[in-house]
Amino acid sequence: MRDYRLTEAEENLAKLIWLGEPIKSPDLVKLCQEEFDWKKSTTYTMLKRLEDKKIFTNNKSMVTSLIKEEEFYSEQSKIFVEEKFQGSLPRFIAAFTRKNKLSPKEVKELEKLINEHKEG
């Protein structure tokens, strides 16, 4: 499993790219200036970090994702459960539901997910 941990600034940039991709890098620089008050060099430094993590690519000034947002957050969730709950999804759900009761709709959604993804 690849480690997709991002700093807050990297994640903000990633969200901006996912929202508007594909996006030309000069347009991304302008957008980052408006959204984050970043200089051109800051945008390119942050983009390079995301490229090094194999999340985005900047090919001929066109920035696109190598991993979609949903897939990224799925990997983040796996890392969280692995680190905090020794990889046990039931332990995570038990901790989550200790103070947050599930609605009947949520129970049905979880049951559907379980049935769709169970082995054998």
Side-chain angles (χ1 to χ4, degrees):
M1 178 177 356
R2 186 177 301 240
D3 190 350
Y4 289 114
R5 281 179 251 237
L6 302 180
T7 65
E8 183 178 347
E10 290 169 341
E11 189 169 356
N12 288 338
L13 178 58
K15 287 177 182 178
L16 202 59
I17 296 169
W18 279 316
L19 190 63
E21 75 169 312
I23 185 168
K24 293 180 181 180
S25 53
D27 294 337
L28 183 60
V29 168
K30 289 177 190 170
L31 198 53
C32 288
Q33 165 64 42
E34 293 167 8
E35 293 289 321
F36 311 128
D37 198 28
W38 287 357
K39 295 179 181 174
K40 179 180 178 179
S41 60
T42 304
T43 299
Y44 281 110
T45 297
M46 298 303 288
L47 179 57
K48 179 70 174 129
R49 288 184 192 172
L50 294 175
E51 287 181 273
D52 290 345
K53 293 179 182 188
K54 307 278 190 248
I55 298 173
F56 295 97
T57 184
N58 184 5
N59 186 11
K60 298 180 183 174
S61 296
M62 187 62 68
V63 179
T64 57
S65 64
L66 297 171
I67 178 172
K68 297 299 177 196
E69 185 175 17
E70 184 176 301
E71 187 179 347
F72 170 79
Y73 285 111
S74 174
E75 290 300 317
Q76 290 283 62
S77 299
K78 288 179 194 174
I79 291 167
F80 178 78
V81 170
E82 185 62 41
E83 289 180 351
K84 306 299 182 192
F85 299 94
Q86 294 72 47
S88 171
L89 187 56
R91 286 182 64 191
F92 166 75
I93 292 172
F96 181 82
T97 57
R98 194 163 290 127
K99 291 194 177 186
N100 302 302
K101 297 299 178 197
L102 298 173
S103 71
K105 181 182 177 188
E106 290 170 322
V107 170
K108 283 186 189 268
E109 288 174 6
L110 285 172
E111 287 172 342
K112 182 180 175 195
L113 279 171
I114 290 167
N115 289 329
E116 288 173 357
H117 293 91
K118 66 179 157 184
E119 294 178 6

